[in-house]
Amino acid sequence: SCINKGTVTFWQIDGSGLDITDVTINGSTSVITAEYPGIPSCNASGCANFTLCPGNYSYTAAEQSGPTTWSGIITVTDEGCLTVWLQ
């Protein structure tokens, strides 16, 4: 375990046409249920939020009822705030 964790917030933009989206990191899933007109703050309501020890993580994401999927690698920093726009 670590002392200083970082936050990662996955979000989608207003009018994206995307459905509710599941985001999974390290076997843990969080769900995007809201859209924002611009970059939200970390831990914003309706976003997929994770609190993780510093390091590199791979993520996958998928619309619950749509064809769209995403995957990638993120870097979490000490007490950092990372926002990831799924588009």
Side-chain angles (χ1 to χ4, degrees):
S1 185
C2 60
I3 298 171
N4 297 327
K5 295 188 175 185
T7 303
V8 186
T9 295
F10 291 82
W11 68 284
Q12 290 167 340
I13 202 158
D14 277 351
S16 68
L18 296 165
D19 188 25
I20 291 172
T21 297
D22 294 320
V23 183
T24 303
I25 299 177
N26 272 10
S28 175
T29 300
S30 186
V31 183
I32 300 175
T33 57
E35 296 186 331
Y36 283 78
I39 299 172
S41 56
C42 270
N43 282 322
S45 171
C47 296
N49 299 302
F50 297 87
T51 303
L52 299 162
C53 289
N56 295 321
Y57 297 87
S58 59
Y59 69 86
T60 58
E63 279 186 280
Q64 286 187 357
S65 69
T68 309
T69 59
W70 299 261
S71 62
I73 296 174
I74 53 166
T75 300
V76 178
T77 58
D78 273 11
E79 296 181 2
C81 165
L82 175 66
T83 53
V84 181
W85 178 11
L86 296 183
Q87 55 180 316

